[in-house]
Amino acid sequence: MSSRVYLRALIFAVFFVVTFARSVPLETYDQSEAERYAILAGVAYCAGTLGHGVEDWSCDACKKYPGVSATVVSNTTTDANGFVAWDPNSQRIIISFTGTDPLDIKNWIDDIGLIQTDFPCSGCKVHKGFYDAYKSIEPQVLAALAHYRQGHPGTPVAVTGHSLGAAQAVLCAFSLHLQHGITVSTMYTFGQPRVGNVEFAQAYTSQVSHNWRLTHHMDPVPHLPPNTGNIYRHNSQEVFYPDFTDLKYTVCDGSGEDPTCSDKFIMDLIVTDHWWYGNFNFLTGYTSCKF
Ligand SMILES: *[C@@H]1O[C@H](CO)[C@@H](O)[C@H](O)[C@H]1NC(C)=O
């Protein structure tokens, strides 16, 4: 190799390392993909005890992505609801969980509780209420998932959810990974509360990839349960939308608790900020499935 070629190769190598090591995150955030999952998370509000229009994919939000076949998962005792679906548009199996009845959200926020229970990773503890809700529909999720995986072998699995549904989505994705050997390839949550302790947040963040946790302005739910004393901690990767209607965003640092993102607000109760994610209004979506 001539010294000139060698020098060029060296300069290129240094440029490459400096540029990419510093600025390119492991994965790239995709705003339009996030918007798609916000709608799919919204569709869950039409499932089970909350509304209708998912089984035959006729709900207003459903119509944006025609041709989906879906199975509702629902437990009338715990009011946990969601669906599992085959989406021919994105060629993915979708698992989506819903939050609590939007008209009850204030009560839900007040009663959120702090009690934790064991989760099957080392030292991990998670919010008992969230885990109980997920566990009450897990057998139905697994059965529907097996059905769609049989029909579409090798299809990537995506998990999503809003609010309480976001917490269930996290518990589902990590349970599938740890206990069922199923890799979740795409993960979006919207207005997610903290799900578990530091050990849980770290294990989840390092093992579930393409995982985006969207927070919006002064949405109160990402502040719950509070992280006082590090009993609860957020997983990464947070993507923060600082304005009400605007779609500008910040990909936050990987700590889970970036003080310049949602955490810069202490505990503001602007519940309307909880309903608006990725250009989709969860409250309007919910009311439309009542008729
Ligand atoms: C609903 O949840 C309760 C409480 O977790 C559980 O005992 C019951 O078996 C569940 N029902 C169905 C149909 O899955």
Side-chain angles (χ1 to χ4, degrees):
M1 208 193 285
S2 81
S3 61
R4 220 162 139 189
V5 171
Y6 177 78
L7 191 65
R8 270 201 208 150
L10 185 70
I11 288 169
F12 180 76
V14 168
F15 169 81
F16 186 88
V17 167
V18 168
T19 312
F20 288 84
R22 285 186 52 224
S23 63
V24 178
L26 286 175
E27 310 206 35
T28 310
Y29 179 67
D30 179 344
Q31 160 71 30
S32 64
E33 191 180 60
E35 286 187 41
R36 168 185 200 85
Y37 282 97
I39 291 168
L40 290 166
V43 165
Y45 280 97
C46 299
T49 59
L50 288 179
H52 54 83
V54 176
E55 296 86 346
D56 58 358
W57 210 251
S58 66
C59 72
D60 280 355
C62 303
K63 287 175 192 145
K64 303 197 182 196
Y65 300 114
V68 172
S69 13
T71 304
V72 169
V73 294
S74 174
N75 187 312
T76 48
T77 312
T78 59
D79 268 337
N81 296 297
F83 68 86
V84 181
W86 157 246
D87 174 16
N89 311 290
S90 66
Q91 296 280 308
R92 273 179 171 68
I93 292 168
I94 314 286
I95 306 176
S96 177
F97 296 94
T98 186
T100 193
D101 183 330
L103 306 173
D104 274 347
I105 189 76
K106 283 232 183 222
N107 292 331
W108 182 77
I109 287 173
D110 291 344
D111 298 343
I112 197 158
L114 295 171
I115 300 168
Q116 294 186 327
T117 188
D118 289 339
F119 185 84
C121 52
S122 176
C124 295
K125 298 220 178 270
V126 294
H127 187 279
K128 187 173 183 311
F130 301 161
Y131 201 30
D132 286 348
Y134 169 63
K135 279 287 184 189
S136 78
I137 46 174
E138 186 182 47
Q140 297 174 49
V141 170
L142 293 174
L145 182 59
H147 165 76
Y148 289 109
R149 272 160 62 89
Q150 197 169 35
H152 306 278
T155 303
V157 177
V159 184
T160 190
H162 170 255
S163 194
L164 166 65
Q168 294 175 74
V170 165
L171 293 162
C172 173
F174 207 17
S175 299
L176 290 178
H177 173 79
L178 291 172
Q179 299 183 299
H180 301 279
I182 297 171
T183 305
V184 170
S185 65
T186 311
M187 180 76 199
Y188 282 91
T189 69
F190 306 90
Q192 182 197 309
R194 293 188 180 91
V195 177
N197 63 357
V198 177
E199 286 83 349
F200 176 83
Q202 286 171 349
Y204 172 82
T205 301
S206 66
Q207 293 179 55
V208 178
S209 60
H210 204 75
N211 147 46
W212 305 105
R213 178 172 65 81
L214 275 67
T215 56
H216 178 218
H217 193 226
M218 293 192 189
D219 178 351
V221 176
H223 299 279
L224 298 167
N227 61 343
T228 331
N230 262 337
I231 298 163
Y232 280 93
R233 193 174 174 92
H234 263 309
N235 57 276
S236 193
Q237 178 66 61
E238 179 182 5
V239 181
F240 177 59
Y241 286 73
D243 297 309
F244 181 54
T245 48
D246 188 311
L247 287 177
K248 284 197 201 100
Y249 60 84
T250 305
V251 176
C252 310
D253 73 22
S255 70
E257 303 281 357
D258 184 335
T260 67
C261 286
S262 170
D263 272 355
K264 77 177 168 190
F265 302 111
I266 302 302
M267 181 58 199
D268 295 285
L269 285 171
I270 302 194
V271 174
T272 45
D273 283 356
H274 186 53
W275 301 123
W276 184 260
Y277 271 92
N279 225 3
F280 181 78
N281 189 321
F282 283 88
L283 192 54
T284 317
Y286 167 72
T287 7
S288 78
C289 8
K290 290 288 182 197
F291 306 107

